[in-house]
Amino acid sequence: MTRAASRKNPTRIQRAKTEAILGAALEVFATEGFRGATLDQIAEAAGISKPNLLYYFASKEDVHGMLLARLLDTWLEPLRRLDPAGDPQAEIGAYVRRKLRMSRDYPRESRLFAGEILQGAPRIGTMIRGPLRALVDEKAQVIRGWARDGLIAPVDPYHLIFSIWAVTQHYADFDVQIRAVLGSDDEARFSEAERFLTHFYARALAP
Amino acid sequence: MTRAASRKNPTRIQRAKTEAILGAALEVFATEGFRGATLDQIAEAAGISKPNLLYYFASKEDVHGMLLARLLDTWLEPLRRLDPAGDPQAEIGAYVRRKLRMSRDYPRESRLFAGEILQGAPRIGTMIRGPLRALVDEKAQVIRGWARDGLIAPVDPYHLIFSIWAVTQHYADFDVQIRAVLGSDDEARFSEAERFLTHFYARALAP
DNA sequence: TCCAAATTTGACCGTCTGGTCATAAAGCAC
DNA sequence: GTGCTTTATGACCAGACGGTCAAATTTGGA
């Protein structure tokens, strides 16, 4: 088998190197963008040579694609967990907090995703128009139901979801700008943001 | 003089070509990123040859820098116009709408800015830490005053401003994603967003 | 220990790209 | 029209980059 990374039963080395490469690539792609990143950069960050990297992945696109595929699996998880049977206000508040924590704990993933969308989603367009849209449609119906039942204020569920994505991801994607204004205390920044957003959505959605 | 673009008294041709180049460059940089964009691409989009482009600008960085410099001049204008003497709720609502309209009318500029921040603001870091921060500090004090006087709900003014940036710019920067979910009717999308955001901030900030 | 498979890399290739330069083709004031 | 300046471009260059390949080294099961 030529392509080591795609084996069914990867060896210890394969698993370790593949992981090292993806970790390095995430870092580099997130800060440099797809075109800006170079294989030499990624290889060096992973502690291997460029040909060795290409022994595990067929191409630069392959590495990038693998990262995106993995990311998308988990990216929508917070929304998936929005429970139609739960208390509307609590559910939405919890969703906001889950999403904010993803920005705090996975900022590189957030920036990778943001970069991809900014450039027109050339590699994940089908996924966006497929599973992502389907999930949003589903949850929008749930929220619409809550509004109809008077459990939350009557708002457009789609724009509500967009606003949650925007305000939470902003803390990862525009990190540099926020740092520049607030100073660098990550801990404080995120707990302030959590307090602000929790209160904000609670007030805005109170029936 | 070698560099035609920086003359004090530009000729008719200089003005026209410089403008054509910047327009083309904005388009290309916004969709491809700095590294992704090529001078050939920009030159072709501007309808001239690459050497001719380099007759007007010293380098690729120069073109990019000029775009950013122009952008930043106007980017903060909506916030600057937040009037401390106005009605708090109305002022903030108007600010949100101004910012949203910038996303609608200047999406390429928004994406250019987003890309720059996403990559760590390598070229506008000083501006971010200087004038931008100063303006935000100033307006945050205004908002804090309003909250203290009970004219709006007591919220962290910095995170309030961040949230406004996030939700409005989101409609330009994540345009592809929003299109994928809502369909492509720009007109409807933005007027819905305006209604949503106006109501949302009004409710959340009601004293 | 032995050996076949897996892993690693130095050297190399073709292409792309930012930028240069000599030269040619407008513009334009007189 | 003349002559000087501005504007425009084809040809070219050096470096960077994605990717290949043959050969060397390591790994791990029997």
Side-chain angles (χ1 to χ4, degrees), chain B residues 9-66:
Chain B
N9 284 92
T11 67
R12 174 182 53 85
I13 292 180
Q14 279 163 17
R15 231 190 305 269
K17 288 293 164 74
T18 302
E19 223 47 50
I21 292 168
L22 287 175
L26 175 58
E27 183 70 31
V28 178
F29 280 134
T31 59
E32 308 284 343
F34 180 75
R35 290 281 310 260
T38 73
L39 288 181
D40 284 301
Q41 245 180 313
I42 298 171
E44 189 186 337
I48 62 177
S49 65
K50 181 170 65 174
N52 198 11
L53 188 159
L54 288 164
Y55 171 73
Y56 289 99
F57 291 90
S59 67
K60 186 180 176 181
E61 290 236 20
D62 233 47
V63 182
H64 193 248
M66 179 72 78

Tab-separated table of all heavy atoms in Angstrom, chain B residues 9-66:
chain	number	residue	atom	x	y	z
B	9	ASN	N	0.776	65.378	-7.437
B	9	ASN	CA	-0.214	65.795	-8.428
B	9	ASN	C	-0.386	64.727	-9.493
B	9	ASN	O	0.151	64.843	-10.592
B	9	ASN	CB	0.229	67.119	-9.070
B	9	ASN	CG	-0.020	68.276	-8.130
B	9	ASN	OD1	0.873	68.638	-7.363
B	9	ASN	ND2	-1.217	68.820	-8.146
B	10	PRO	N	-1.168	63.715	-9.163
B	10	PRO	CA	-1.328	62.599	-10.095
B	10	PRO	C	-2.023	63.038	-11.368
B	10	PRO	O	-2.895	63.906	-11.356
B	10	PRO	CB	-2.196	61.617	-9.305
B	10	PRO	CG	-2.916	62.453	-8.313
B	10	PRO	CD	-1.991	63.555	-7.955
B	11	THR	N	-1.596	62.470	-12.478
B	11	THR	CA	-2.247	62.744	-13.750
B	11	THR	C	-3.575	62.002	-13.811
B	11	THR	O	-3.870	61.167	-12.954
B	11	THR	CB	-1.375	62.261	-14.917
B	11	THR	OG1	-1.318	60.831	-14.863
B	11	THR	CG2	0.035	62.816	-14.800
B	12	ARG	N	-4.324	62.321	-14.829
B	12	ARG	CA	-5.606	61.656	-15.039
B	12	ARG	C	-5.411	60.144	-15.133
B	12	ARG	O	-6.110	59.350	-14.501
B	12	ARG	CB	-6.211	62.195	-16.350
B	12	ARG	CG	-7.473	61.526	-16.832
B	12	ARG	CD	-7.913	62.145	-18.161
B	12	ARG	NE	-6.836	62.136	-19.149
B	12	ARG	CZ	-6.565	61.092	-19.941
B	12	ARG	NH1	-7.294	59.999	-19.868
B	12	ARG	NH2	-5.583	61.134	-20.828
B	13	ILE	N	-4.400	59.759	-15.901
B	13	ILE	CA	-4.132	58.329	-16.089
B	13	ILE	C	-3.741	57.673	-14.768
B	13	ILE	O	-4.189	56.576	-14.441
B	13	ILE	CB	-3.017	58.134	-17.137
B	13	ILE	CG1	-3.527	58.562	-18.515
B	13	ILE	CG2	-2.566	56.688	-17.172
B	13	ILE	CD1	-2.507	58.410	-19.612
B	14	GLN	N	-2.899	58.342	-14.003
B	14	GLN	CA	-2.480	57.776	-12.724
B	14	GLN	C	-3.665	57.518	-11.820
B	14	GLN	O	-3.771	56.471	-11.179
B	14	GLN	CB	-1.485	58.723	-12.036
B	14	GLN	CG	-0.069	58.582	-12.566
B	14	GLN	CD	0.798	59.769	-12.207
B	14	GLN	OE1	0.456	60.544	-11.310
B	14	GLN	NE2	1.907	59.909	-12.909
B	15	ARG	N	-4.541	58.495	-11.742
B	15	ARG	CA	-5.702	58.321	-10.872
B	15	ARG	C	-6.547	57.134	-11.331
B	15	ARG	O	-6.947	56.286	-10.540
B	15	ARG	CB	-6.549	59.608	-10.861
B	15	ARG	CG	-6.873	60.098	-9.453
B	15	ARG	CD	-7.891	61.216	-9.481
B	15	ARG	NE	-7.481	62.333	-10.329
B	15	ARG	CZ	-6.784	63.384	-9.892
B	15	ARG	NH1	-6.434	63.474	-8.632
B	15	ARG	NH2	-6.440	64.359	-10.715
B	16	ALA	N	-6.797	57.082	-12.619
B	16	ALA	CA	-7.664	56.035	-13.155
B	16	ALA	C	-7.049	54.646	-12.946
B	16	ALA	O	-7.719	53.725	-12.463
B	16	ALA	CB	-7.921	56.273	-14.647
B	17	LYS	N	-5.783	54.507	-13.301
B	17	LYS	CA	-5.144	53.193	-13.194
B	17	LYS	C	-4.994	52.758	-11.737
B	17	LYS	O	-5.227	51.605	-11.389
B	17	LYS	CB	-3.778	53.213	-13.893
B	17	LYS	CG	-3.861	53.259	-15.404
B	17	LYS	CD	-4.449	51.980	-15.992
B	17	LYS	CE	-4.912	52.133	-17.428
B	17	LYS	NZ	-3.816	52.190	-18.400
B	18	THR	N	-4.586	53.696	-10.900
B	18	THR	CA	-4.460	53.376	-9.481
B	18	THR	C	-5.780	52.853	-8.932
B	18	THR	O	-5.826	51.844	-8.210
B	18	THR	CB	-4.028	54.618	-8.691
B	18	THR	OG1	-2.797	55.103	-9.216
B	18	THR	CG2	-3.843	54.281	-7.219
B	19	GLU	N	-6.849	53.519	-9.320
B	19	GLU	CA	-8.169	53.105	-8.847
B	19	GLU	C	-8.554	51.737	-9.379
B	19	GLU	O	-9.081	50.890	-8.650
B	19	GLU	CB	-9.206	54.155	-9.275
B	19	GLU	CG	-10.188	54.498	-8.201
B	19	GLU	CD	-9.495	54.753	-6.860
B	19	GLU	OE1	-8.518	55.526	-6.787
B	19	GLU	OE2	-9.938	54.132	-5.871
B	20	ALA	N	-8.269	51.528	-10.665
B	20	ALA	CA	-8.586	50.232	-11.275
B	20	ALA	C	-7.829	49.112	-10.563
B	20	ALA	O	-8.374	48.041	-10.286
B	20	ALA	CB	-8.231	50.251	-12.766
B	21	ILE	N	-6.565	49.378	-10.268
B	21	ILE	CA	-5.743	48.371	-9.599
B	21	ILE	C	-6.289	48.072	-8.201
B	21	ILE	O	-6.443	46.916	-7.811
B	21	ILE	CB	-4.275	48.836	-9.513
B	21	ILE	CG1	-3.652	48.872	-10.903
B	21	ILE	CG2	-3.482	47.924	-8.590
B	21	ILE	CD1	-2.317	49.596	-10.958
B	22	LEU	N	-6.603	49.111	-7.459
B	22	LEU	CA	-7.087	48.896	-6.093
B	22	LEU	C	-8.423	48.162	-6.092
B	22	LEU	O	-8.657	47.292	-5.251
B	22	LEU	CB	-7.203	50.236	-5.364
B	22	LEU	CG	-5.866	50.872	-4.970
B	22	LEU	CD1	-6.081	52.251	-4.378
B	22	LEU	CD2	-5.098	49.986	-4.007
B	23	GLY	N	-9.262	48.502	-7.050
B	23	GLY	CA	-10.540	47.802	-7.141
B	23	GLY	C	-10.341	46.324	-7.416
B	23	GLY	O	-10.927	45.461	-6.749
B	24	ALA	N	-9.503	46.034	-8.393
B	24	ALA	CA	-9.220	44.640	-8.725
B	24	ALA	C	-8.572	43.930	-7.547
B	24	ALA	O	-8.920	42.797	-7.206
B	24	ALA	CB	-8.306	44.575	-9.950
B	25	ALA	N	-7.641	44.606	-6.906
B	25	ALA	CA	-6.911	43.993	-5.795
B	25	ALA	C	-7.845	43.695	-4.629
B	25	ALA	O	-7.718	42.658	-3.967
B	25	ALA	CB	-5.783	44.902	-5.347
B	26	LEU	N	-8.776	44.593	-4.374
B	26	LEU	CA	-9.732	44.360	-3.293
B	26	LEU	C	-10.496	43.073	-3.529
B	26	LEU	O	-10.627	42.224	-2.636
B	26	LEU	CB	-10.705	45.545	-3.197
B	26	LEU	CG	-11.829	45.393	-2.186
B	26	LEU	CD1	-11.279	45.172	-0.793
B	26	LEU	CD2	-12.735	46.617	-2.214
B	27	GLU	N	-10.973	42.930	-4.741
B	27	GLU	CA	-11.706	41.722	-5.109
B	27	GLU	C	-10.852	40.478	-4.888
B	27	GLU	O	-11.270	39.510	-4.242
B	27	GLU	CB	-12.122	41.821	-6.580
B	27	GLU	CG	-12.953	40.667	-7.086
B	27	GLU	CD	-14.357	40.680	-6.482
B	27	GLU	OE1	-14.871	41.765	-6.195
B	27	GLU	OE2	-14.918	39.576	-6.304
B	28	VAL	N	-9.644	40.505	-5.418
B	28	VAL	CA	-8.790	39.316	-5.375
B	28	VAL	C	-8.304	39.022	-3.951
B	28	VAL	O	-8.372	37.885	-3.485
B	28	VAL	CB	-7.595	39.472	-6.334
B	28	VAL	CG1	-6.675	38.267	-6.248
B	28	VAL	CG2	-8.082	39.661	-7.761
B	29	PHE	N	-7.821	40.040	-3.260
B	29	PHE	CA	-7.343	39.827	-1.896
B	29	PHE	C	-8.462	39.318	-0.985
B	29	PHE	O	-8.248	38.470	-0.130
B	29	PHE	CB	-6.763	41.120	-1.308
B	29	PHE	CG	-5.364	41.423	-1.738
B	29	PHE	CD1	-5.011	42.695	-2.158
B	29	PHE	CD2	-4.385	40.439	-1.719
B	29	PHE	CE1	-3.715	42.989	-2.551
B	29	PHE	CE2	-3.076	40.721	-2.118
B	29	PHE	CZ	-2.747	42.002	-2.538
B	30	ALA	N	-9.662	39.864	-1.179
B	30	ALA	CA	-10.770	39.495	-0.301
B	30	ALA	C	-11.141	38.025	-0.460
B	30	ALA	O	-11.505	37.367	0.508
B	30	ALA	CB	-11.981	40.380	-0.568
B	31	THR	N	-11.021	37.519	-1.676
B	31	THR	CA	-11.453	36.133	-1.873
B	31	THR	C	-10.302	35.128	-1.786
B	31	THR	O	-10.538	33.966	-1.490
B	31	THR	CB	-12.160	35.948	-3.229
B	31	THR	OG1	-11.251	36.326	-4.266
B	31	THR	CG2	-13.384	36.829	-3.316
B	32	GLU	N	-9.075	35.587	-2.025
B	32	GLU	CA	-7.946	34.653	-2.046
B	32	GLU	C	-7.010	34.817	-0.851
B	32	GLU	O	-6.153	33.960	-0.631
B	32	GLU	CB	-7.142	34.840	-3.338
B	32	GLU	CG	-7.966	34.785	-4.615
B	32	GLU	CD	-8.364	33.366	-4.985
B	32	GLU	OE1	-7.763	32.433	-4.455
B	32	GLU	OE2	-9.295	33.211	-5.786
B	33	GLY	N	-7.128	35.903	-0.126
B	33	GLY	CA	-6.157	36.179	0.923
B	33	GLY	C	-4.888	36.771	0.344
B	33	GLY	O	-4.694	36.784	-0.873
B	34	PHE	N	-4.020	37.271	1.203
B	34	PHE	CA	-2.812	37.935	0.708
B	34	PHE	C	-1.919	36.973	-0.066
B	34	PHE	O	-1.540	37.245	-1.195
B	34	PHE	CB	-2.025	38.561	1.863
B	34	PHE	CG	-0.774	39.252	1.408
B	34	PHE	CD1	-0.841	40.481	0.783
B	34	PHE	CD2	0.465	38.652	1.574
B	34	PHE	CE1	0.299	41.116	0.327
B	34	PHE	CE2	1.615	39.280	1.121
B	34	PHE	CZ	1.539	40.510	0.500
B	35	ARG	N	-1.591	35.849	0.537
B	35	ARG	CA	-0.717	34.904	-0.132
B	35	ARG	C	-1.383	34.263	-1.335
B	35	ARG	O	-0.727	33.989	-2.333
B	35	ARG	CB	-0.284	33.797	0.848
B	35	ARG	CG	0.664	34.230	1.950
B	35	ARG	CD	2.110	34.343	1.462
B	35	ARG	NE	2.607	33.187	0.744
B	35	ARG	CZ	3.385	32.245	1.263
B	35	ARG	NH1	3.733	32.312	2.524
B	35	ARG	NH2	3.820	31.257	0.515
B	36	GLY	N	-2.663	34.022	-1.225
B	36	GLY	CA	-3.374	33.366	-2.307
B	36	GLY	C	-3.498	34.220	-3.546
B	36	GLY	O	-3.561	33.719	-4.667
B	37	ALA	N	-3.538	35.525	-3.363
B	37	ALA	CA	-3.660	36.429	-4.505
B	37	ALA	C	-2.335	36.521	-5.253
B	37	ALA	O	-1.270	36.502	-4.644
B	37	ALA	CB	-4.076	37.813	-4.016
B	38	THR	N	-2.401	36.607	-6.571
B	38	THR	CA	-1.178	36.792	-7.363
B	38	THR	C	-1.269	38.114	-8.123
B	38	THR	O	-2.368	38.591	-8.445
B	38	THR	CB	-0.971	35.659	-8.382
B	38	THR	OG1	-1.908	35.808	-9.450
B	38	THR	CG2	-1.142	34.299	-7.730
B	39	LEU	N	-0.093	38.669	-8.395
B	39	LEU	CA	-0.067	39.937	-9.117
B	39	LEU	C	-0.651	39.793	-10.512
B	39	LEU	O	-1.298	40.712	-11.014
B	39	LEU	CB	1.366	40.464	-9.188
B	39	LEU	CG	1.926	40.982	-7.860
B	39	LEU	CD1	3.344	41.504	-8.031
B	39	LEU	CD2	1.035	42.087	-7.300
B	40	ASP	N	-0.423	38.646	-11.122
B	40	ASP	CA	-0.992	38.414	-12.450
B	40	ASP	C	-2.517	38.474	-12.413
B	40	ASP	O	-3.147	39.083	-13.273
B	40	ASP	CB	-0.529	37.052	-12.985
B	40	ASP	CG	0.915	37.080	-13.468
B	40	ASP	OD1	1.211	37.874	-14.369
B	40	ASP	OD2	1.737	36.340	-12.918
B	41	GLN	N	-3.078	37.825	-11.392
B	41	GLN	CA	-4.532	37.851	-11.212
B	41	GLN	C	-5.035	39.284	-11.096
B	41	GLN	O	-5.992	39.690	-11.752
B	41	GLN	CB	-4.869	37.122	-9.910
B	41	GLN	CG	-5.669	35.849	-10.013
B	41	GLN	CD	-5.899	35.262	-8.623
B	41	GLN	OE1	-4.963	35.151	-7.809
B	41	GLN	NE2	-7.121	34.887	-8.333
B	42	ILE	N	-4.400	40.035	-10.214
B	42	ILE	CA	-4.824	41.410	-9.976
B	42	ILE	C	-4.676	42.253	-11.236
B	42	ILE	O	-5.580	42.999	-11.617
B	42	ILE	CB	-4.021	42.036	-8.822
B	42	ILE	CG1	-4.279	41.262	-7.523
B	42	ILE	CG2	-4.384	43.508	-8.648
B	42	ILE	CD1	-3.376	41.673	-6.381
B	43	ALA	N	-3.520	42.079	-11.889
B	43	ALA	CA	-3.266	42.854	-13.105
B	43	ALA	C	-4.325	42.544	-14.162
B	43	ALA	O	-4.881	43.449	-14.786
B	43	ALA	CB	-1.877	42.542	-13.645
B	44	GLU	N	-4.613	41.250	-14.334
B	44	GLU	CA	-5.608	40.878	-15.339
B	44	GLU	C	-6.973	41.463	-14.997
B	44	GLU	O	-7.660	42.012	-15.857
B	44	GLU	CB	-5.701	39.359	-15.463
B	44	GLU	CG	-6.565	38.963	-16.658
B	44	GLU	CD	-6.812	37.457	-16.731
B	44	GLU	OE1	-6.004	36.700	-16.166
B	44	GLU	OE2	-7.832	37.074	-17.341
B	45	ALA	N	-7.347	41.347	-13.711
B	45	ALA	CA	-8.641	41.896	-13.288
B	45	ALA	C	-8.693	43.403	-13.511
B	45	ALA	O	-9.759	43.975	-13.732
B	45	ALA	CB	-8.900	41.556	-11.823
B	46	ALA	N	-7.532	44.039	-13.438
B	46	ALA	CA	-7.486	45.491	-13.637
B	46	ALA	C	-7.336	45.851	-15.110
B	46	ALA	O	-7.378	47.027	-15.479
B	46	ALA	CB	-6.337	46.091	-12.832
B	47	GLY	N	-7.128	44.839	-15.950
B	47	GLY	CA	-7.006	45.068	-17.376
B	47	GLY	C	-5.664	45.629	-17.801
B	47	GLY	O	-5.575	46.333	-18.815
B	48	ILE	N	-4.611	45.337	-17.053
B	48	ILE	CA	-3.282	45.804	-17.427
B	48	ILE	C	-2.270	44.669	-17.266
B	48	ILE	O	-2.629	43.579	-16.847
B	48	ILE	CB	-2.840	46.995	-16.549
B	48	ILE	CG1	-2.769	46.567	-15.092
B	48	ILE	CG2	-3.780	48.161	-16.724
B	48	ILE	CD1	-2.278	47.640	-14.155
B	49	SER	N	-1.029	44.939	-17.627
B	49	SER	CA	0.011	43.918	-17.482
B	49	SER	C	0.653	44.019	-16.100
B	49	SER	O	0.557	45.041	-15.430
B	49	SER	CB	1.081	44.097	-18.544
B	49	SER	OG	1.744	45.330	-18.339
B	50	LYS	N	1.291	42.930	-15.690
B	50	LYS	CA	1.907	42.928	-14.363
B	50	LYS	C	2.990	44.005	-14.209
B	50	LYS	O	2.994	44.732	-13.211
B	50	LYS	CB	2.483	41.545	-14.067
B	50	LYS	CG	3.124	41.431	-12.699
B	50	LYS	CD	3.463	39.996	-12.334
B	50	LYS	CE	4.515	39.411	-13.240
B	50	LYS	NZ	4.943	38.068	-12.783
B	51	PRO	N	3.897	44.140	-15.179
B	51	PRO	CA	4.875	45.217	-15.027
B	51	PRO	C	4.222	46.588	-14.915
B	51	PRO	O	4.707	47.460	-14.204
B	51	PRO	CB	5.713	45.106	-16.300
B	51	PRO	CG	5.564	43.697	-16.722
B	51	PRO	CD	4.168	43.293	-16.331
B	52	ASN	N	3.114	46.749	-15.611
B	52	ASN	CA	2.420	48.033	-15.530
B	52	ASN	C	1.857	48.241	-14.125
B	52	ASN	O	1.908	49.358	-13.577
B	52	ASN	CB	1.305	48.081	-16.562
B	52	ASN	CG	0.841	49.499	-16.823
B	52	ASN	OD1	1.480	50.447	-16.381
B	52	ASN	ND2	-0.256	49.633	-17.539
B	53	LEU	N	1.349	47.184	-13.541
B	53	LEU	CA	0.859	47.283	-12.164
B	53	LEU	C	2.004	47.714	-11.246
B	53	LEU	O	1.841	48.598	-10.398
B	53	LEU	CB	0.314	45.928	-11.713
B	53	LEU	CG	-0.417	45.856	-10.371
B	53	LEU	CD1	-1.312	44.633	-10.323
B	53	LEU	CD2	0.529	45.813	-9.191
B	54	LEU	N	3.168	47.110	-11.488
B	54	LEU	CA	4.312	47.422	-10.627
B	54	LEU	C	4.916	48.782	-10.953
B	54	LEU	O	5.832	49.247	-10.273
B	54	LEU	CB	5.368	46.322	-10.746
B	54	LEU	CG	4.935	45.011	-10.071
B	54	LEU	CD1	5.796	43.844	-10.539
B	54	LEU	CD2	5.018	45.155	-8.554
B	55	TYR	N	4.411	49.395	-11.996
B	55	TYR	CA	4.803	50.778	-12.279
B	55	TYR	C	4.040	51.723	-11.337
B	55	TYR	O	4.539	52.777	-10.958
B	55	TYR	CB	4.498	51.095	-13.739
B	55	TYR	CG	4.649	52.546	-14.107
B	55	TYR	CD1	5.905	53.134	-14.226
B	55	TYR	CD2	3.525	53.335	-14.345
B	55	TYR	CE1	6.038	54.466	-14.576
B	55	TYR	CE2	3.647	54.668	-14.693
B	55	TYR	CZ	4.907	55.236	-14.803
B	55	TYR	OH	5.030	56.559	-15.136
B	56	TYR	N	2.858	51.291	-10.930
B	56	TYR	CA	2.050	52.135	-10.054
B	56	TYR	C	2.239	51.804	-8.579
B	56	TYR	O	2.072	52.669	-7.718
B	56	TYR	CB	0.570	52.019	-10.427
B	56	TYR	CG	0.268	52.687	-11.734
B	56	TYR	CD1	0.160	51.955	-12.910
B	56	TYR	CD2	0.131	54.066	-11.800
B	56	TYR	CE1	-0.093	52.572	-14.113
B	56	TYR	CE2	-0.128	54.697	-13.011
B	56	TYR	CZ	-0.233	53.951	-14.160
B	56	TYR	OH	-0.472	54.572	-15.355
B	57	PHE	N	2.572	50.565	-8.284
B	57	PHE	CA	2.816	50.167	-6.894
B	57	PHE	C	4.148	49.442	-6.797
B	57	PHE	O	4.469	48.626	-7.648
B	57	PHE	CB	1.690	49.270	-6.379
B	57	PHE	CG	0.390	49.991	-6.209
B	57	PHE	CD1	-0.517	50.050	-7.259
B	57	PHE	CD2	0.076	50.623	-5.007
B	57	PHE	CE1	-1.720	50.727	-7.111
B	57	PHE	CE2	-1.120	51.290	-4.853
B	57	PHE	CZ	-2.025	51.347	-5.910
B	58	ALA	N	4.889	49.731	-5.761
B	58	ALA	CA	6.234	49.181	-5.624
B	58	ALA	C	6.229	47.675	-5.441
B	58	ALA	O	7.162	46.989	-5.846
B	58	ALA	CB	6.958	49.847	-4.454
B	59	SER	N	5.198	47.149	-4.825
B	59	SER	CA	5.179	45.719	-4.538
B	59	SER	C	3.757	45.260	-4.217
B	59	SER	O	2.847	46.077	-4.039
B	59	SER	CB	6.083	45.402	-3.348
B	59	SER	OG	5.539	45.984	-2.180
B	60	LYS	N	3.610	43.969	-4.114
B	60	LYS	CA	2.324	43.382	-3.737
B	60	LYS	C	1.902	43.907	-2.359
B	60	LYS	O	0.745	44.281	-2.153
B	60	LYS	CB	2.489	41.862	-3.705
B	60	LYS	CG	1.225	41.074	-3.462
B	60	LYS	CD	1.557	39.570	-3.447
B	60	LYS	CE	0.355	38.722	-3.107
B	60	LYS	NZ	0.703	37.276	-3.063
B	61	GLU	N	2.845	43.921	-1.451
B	61	GLU	CA	2.571	44.435	-0.101
B	61	GLU	C	2.052	45.866	-0.158
B	61	GLU	O	1.199	46.266	0.632
B	61	GLU	CB	3.845	44.404	0.747
B	61	GLU	CG	4.291	43.023	1.119
B	61	GLU	CD	4.431	42.849	2.624
B	61	GLU	OE1	3.841	43.647	3.383
B	61	GLU	OE2	5.133	41.916	3.028
B	62	ASP	N	2.623	46.625	-1.058
B	62	ASP	CA	2.225	48.017	-1.211
B	62	ASP	C	0.748	48.142	-1.563
B	62	ASP	O	0.034	48.982	-1.000
B	62	ASP	CB	3.058	48.641	-2.333
B	62	ASP	CG	3.739	49.899	-1.858
B	62	ASP	OD1	4.323	49.863	-0.763
B	62	ASP	OD2	3.662	50.912	-2.583
B	63	VAL	N	0.309	47.333	-2.506
B	63	VAL	CA	-1.096	47.373	-2.907
B	63	VAL	C	-1.979	47.006	-1.718
B	63	VAL	O	-2.940	47.700	-1.395
B	63	VAL	CB	-1.361	46.390	-4.070
B	63	VAL	CG1	-2.818	46.479	-4.514
B	63	VAL	CG2	-0.433	46.668	-5.234
B	64	HIS	N	-1.610	45.906	-1.075
B	64	HIS	CA	-2.368	45.440	0.080
B	64	HIS	C	-2.403	46.510	1.171
B	64	HIS	O	-3.467	46.813	1.728
B	64	HIS	CB	-1.706	44.156	0.605
B	64	HIS	CG	-2.521	43.379	1.583
B	64	HIS	ND1	-2.168	43.256	2.898
B	64	HIS	CD2	-3.672	42.693	1.446
B	64	HIS	CE1	-3.066	42.508	3.518
B	64	HIS	NE2	-3.991	42.148	2.669
B	65	GLY	N	-1.246	47.074	1.446
B	65	GLY	CA	-1.161	48.100	2.484
B	65	GLY	C	-2.038	49.307	2.180
B	65	GLY	O	-2.721	49.833	3.070
B	66	MET	N	-2.036	49.714	0.920
B	66	MET	CA	-2.854	50.866	0.538
B	66	MET	C	-4.330	50.570	0.764
B	66	MET	O	-5.077	51.411	1.263
B	66	MET	CB	-2.596	51.180	-0.946
B	66	MET	CG	-3.398	52.334	-1.498
B	66	MET	SD	-2.830	53.931	-0.863
B	66	MET	CE	-1.358	54.171	-1.890
